[in-house]
Amino acid sequence: MPTIRLTDLPAWRALEARRRTLPPRGWLRGQFTADPGRAERFTAEAAGLFFDFSKQRIDDGILRDLLDLAEQVRLRDRIEAMLRGERINATEQRPVLHVALRAAKGDAYAVDGVDVVAEVHEVLGRMARFAEAIRAGTWLGHGGRPIRTVVNIGIGGSDLGPVMAFEALRHYATPAVGFRFVSNVDGTDFAEAVAGLDPAETLFVVSSKTFTTQETMANATTARDWLLAGCGGDAAAVARHFVAVSTNAAEVARFGIDTANMFGFWDWVGGRYSMDSAIGLSTMIAIGPEHFAALLAGFREMDLHFRDAPFDRNLPVLHGLLVVWNASICLAPTMAVLPYDQYLKRFPAYLQQLSMESNGKRVCLDGTLVDHPTGPVVWGEPGTNGQHSFYQLIHQGTQRIPCDFLGAIHPLHALGRHQSMLLANMLAQAEALAFGKTAEEVSAEGTAARLVPHREFPGDIPSSTILYDRLTPATLGALVAFYEHSVFTQGAVWGINSFDQWGVELGKVLAGRILPELDSPSPPALDHDASTNALIRRIRSARNLP
Ligand code: G6Q
């Protein structure tokens, strides 16, 4: 039986018809005037997050069609398949069970009949003992001194999560230990990260699921050389200054790290879904096991909400459906994530990977090409800074850019009126985007006629506002799980595999061919395109190579 195309589903067709009837201007103003209950009705709350989506370009009919769409693509079945540990990552034949990383003891998640929750808690226990030893200064370096700086070496999913979490939760971090992160193969990254550090007091956490990633292995090798140079060349120092986080014990041992100092995870954890696995070791050392447990509890609370809440009150489902509406039906190619919380400054970069690596796909699960846009470009910076730079384009440019505003009601640093000023800006931006300013309003302010078009704001730019009480480890866990499950919802609607990343794999092999061509002492036989050949020759010649 031929598969029914998403674009042929009744709900999809209904949504397209509704989009065609939306006027280009003034619609949200009209909706808010005609429907006083809208602001209350288009909200939902769970796990400490209050989600206001009333400024999205939707009405009851559009929302009903979006919820029908979720039914028609059998979203509930997809969620249950994931939670049952089915191999829903079909192209890699893997289960997708990051929810098990935050399961409570006694929760039931299994892969091939093996209780993975017990394994998760065993690793968490080892991480906690290790983290406490570093924090308490009882884990000693080779020269007998405590560790004062932890350097995480990893890239992609093995870096963006740890960096984001450290920045987000640095308010809770121990001052006894410093944290640095190395990801790029550009030697500058390593050189700057270790600048001023004493090898005798430095611990490297080599974080790599595969332990074969070129950049990470290059940085880890350079780190080992740097350590040994600083410790009189005694190879025994590696055991006190290197630990590994990986699924690949054989490669960890081959690198020279004792597997007793390895913290494992599993192939059912995707890199971009791994910040709450052992990949979070640096996070746990920074904030301590108790705060890490609170982070996991926040994740779990959102997981249970996603699993149990009806779709019309389910935050990740609603958010995911709105992304589908904006990206695929209203054809908005990008979306901005704008945290009004300086501690979340790396959150947009984290979400960029989570979303774009997951849903940057053009092929359906059945191998056919999609016939609608899928994952939007995700980008953003913290407010209020962004207001003084790129918001101009959101307000008055030619593209409609849906925005997520994120903000804490209470600050972690209560300084004068700063928090009120911050929140006032956030609310004012969302208001201005939604309602704009008409030519009549601009004229009524006495603006010269020739300036009116320049000072008019079209409005009808959709946004959601996500409010939370204050940024705690639990809030962060809930926020990340909220976006993880939104991304899942989007992928389920689009019928794509959100859990593979062949585009990333391509990058991992391509450079391998050119590397020796750049360095070989004799002229290489180049058979790339003419441009690549010429660039390689130019670099070689500038390096005085034949
Ligand atoms: C994430 C991706 C990718 C991955 C990195 C690092 O989902 O697969 O970003 O995390 O390429 O891979 P390793 O952890 O194997 O070094």
Side-chain angles (χ1 to χ4, degrees):
M1 206 175 76
T3 342
I4 300 174
R5 305 290 301 173
L6 174 62
T7 47
D8 289 334
L9 290 175
W12 188 277
R13 296 207 158 169
L15 286 163
E16 288 201 314
R18 288 188 191 277
R19 189 251 305 155
R20 283 192 290 270
T21 67
L22 288 181
R25 307 276 286 257
W27 189 76
L28 272 174
R29 280 184 182 232
Q31 293 297 308
F32 271 86
T33 311
D35 176 5
R38 174 184 177 94
E40 210 173 306
R41 210 165 58 255
F42 293 147
T43 63
E45 195 165 4
L49 305 186
F50 179 75
F51 179 46
D52 175 354
F53 53 100
S54 62
K55 296 194 196 75
Q56 289 287 339
R57 288 206 309 159
I58 58 159
D59 57 15
D60 290 308
I62 294 169
L63 183 58
R64 197 172 52 245
D65 286 340
L66 285 169
L67 293 165
D68 284 351
L69 185 64
E71 298 301 333
Q72 288 168 21
V73 300
R74 299 178 187 278
L75 176 60
R76 179 67 67 199
D77 294 350
R78 302 290 304 157
I79 296 172
E80 283 169 7
M82 171 171 74
L83 299 180
R84 272 197 306 273
E86 282 181 24
R87 294 176 188 277
I88 61 165
N89 176 357
T91 56
E92 297 182 303
Q93 274 301 300
R94 289 178 182 167
V96 174
L97 263 188
H98 42 272
V99 287
L101 297 171
R102 49 269 191 156
K105 281 181 186 161
D107 285 356
Y109 293 108
V111 172
D112 297 333
V114 176
D115 171 13
V116 295
V117 179
E119 294 181 8
V120 165
H121 281 270
E122 192 268 326
V123 174
L124 281 172
R126 287 185 53 228
M127 287 167 64
R129 287 189 289 282
F130 181 73
E132 288 293 21
I134 297 288
R135 289 163 62 85
T138 55
W139 173 281
L140 301 179
H142 185 57
R145 305 210 314 257
I147 298 300
R148 291 173 58 89
T149 307
V150 170
V151 181
N152 186 74
I153 298 178
I155 196 164
S158 301
D159 168 71
L160 286 159
V163 172
M164 182 279 287
F166 174 69
E167 291 297 341
L169 300 176
R170 63 189 305 159
H171 180 71
Y172 303 89
T174 172
V177 184
F179 291 85
R180 302 194 185 181
F181 299 86
V182 179
S183 52
N184 202 332
V185 75
D186 183 340
T188 297
D189 206 14
F190 181 83
E192 290 293 344
V194 298
L197 297 187
D198 181 345
E201 299 178 336
T202 301
L203 175 83
F204 291 99
V205 178
V206 185
S207 299
S208 175
K209 181 173 166 180
T210 55
F211 231 72
T212 55
T213 303
Q214 189 195 52
E215 295 93 323
T216 299
M217 297 331 293
N219 279 321
T221 303
T222 301
R224 189 173 50 192
D225 293 347
W226 177 84
L227 173 81
L228 294 183
C231 292
D234 186 350
V238 172
R240 304 305 298 172
H241 294 271
F242 273 79
V243 297
V245 177
S246 187
T247 58
N248 191 343
E251 284 297 327
V252 169
R254 213 153 74 93
F255 180 82
I257 298 177
D258 186 344
T259 48
N261 296 337
M262 167 177 154
F263 299 88
F265 60 117
W266 307 270
D267 73 358
W268 43 263
V269 183
R272 54 195 174 277
Y273 297 88
S274 67
M275 61 164 276
D276 47 336
S277 71
I279 291 290
L281 182 62
S282 61
T283 314
M284 192 195 274
I285 298 171
I287 64 175
E290 273 185 31
H291 284 315
F292 198 83
L295 173 78
L296 296 181
F299 270 101
R300 182 170 181 270
E301 203 179 336
M302 185 57 76
D303 292 343
L304 298 183
H305 167 77
F306 178 58
R307 186 191 69 184
D308 297 334
F311 287 168
D312 63 351
R313 273 178 283 139
N314 193 310
L315 270 67
V317 169
L318 290 165
H319 185 271
L321 292 173
L322 289 166
V323 173
V324 171
W325 165 246
N326 284 324
S328 299
I329 310 274
C330 299
L331 307 179
T334 85
M335 64 175 278
V337 178
L338 307 166
Y340 279 65
D341 192 327
Q342 187 63 18
Y343 279 126
L344 292 181
K345 67 180 181 189
R346 294 291 292 167
F347 198 60
Y350 174 79
L351 284 190
Q352 197 163 58
Q353 182 195 26
L354 179 67
S355 172
M356 292 170 70
E357 206 168 276
S358 296
N359 288 339
K361 310 284 163 64
R362 53 197 268 286
V363 173
C364 299
L365 283 164
D366 66 5
T368 57
L369 286 179
V370 299
D371 53 0
H372 48 78
T374 57
V377 173
V378 175
W379 58 282
E381 285 284 328
T384 59
N385 295 24
Q387 292 175 207
H388 300 267
S389 111
F390 54 80
Y391 278 39
Q392 166 61 37
L393 185 146
I394 308 180
H395 283 291
Q396 290 186 306
T398 52
Q399 309 180 36
R400 182 177 273 123
I401 299 175
C403 301
D404 279 359
F405 290 96
L406 280 71
I409 295 170
H410 300 292
L412 291 171
H413 300 279
L415 299 173
R417 299 184 70 196
H418 281 255
Q419 191 66 11
S420 295
M421 290 163 74
L422 181 68
L423 290 175
N425 272 280
M426 180 181 83
L427 298 174
Q429 290 294 326
E431 189 176 24
L433 290 174
F435 306 115
K437 198 174 198 180
T438 63
E440 296 69 43
E441 287 167 339
V442 178
S443 299
E445 289 174 349
T447 306
R450 71 183 173 85
L451 289 180
V452 169
H454 298 276
R455 301 190 60 170
E456 183 189 355
F457 292 82
D460 274 351
I461 296 160
S463 71
S464 298
T465 302
I466 297 150
L467 277 182
Y468 45 90
D469 192 51
R470 57 166 50 79
L471 186 60
T472 62
T475 314
L476 184 71
L479 258 182
V480 174
F482 165 71
Y483 279 102
E484 284 179 349
H485 299 318
S486 167
V487 164
F488 178 93
T489 300
Q490 298 158 39
V493 173
W494 287 320
I496 56 178
N497 182 357
S498 302
F499 300 102
D500 61 9
Q501 55 284 313
W502 298 105
V504 179
E505 309 303 332
L506 176 72
K508 290 190 180 190
V509 291
L510 281 185
R513 187 168 153 221
I514 295 184
L515 181 60
E517 295 170 351
L518 286 178
D519 287 346
S520 71
S522 52
L526 299 176
D527 65 348
H528 304 277
D529 59 277
S531 162
T532 309
N533 286 346
L535 289 167
I536 292 172
R537 284 197 196 98
R538 190 176 180 87
I539 293 167
R540 287 183 59 89
S541 145
R543 291 170 164 186
N544 296 322
L545 289 169

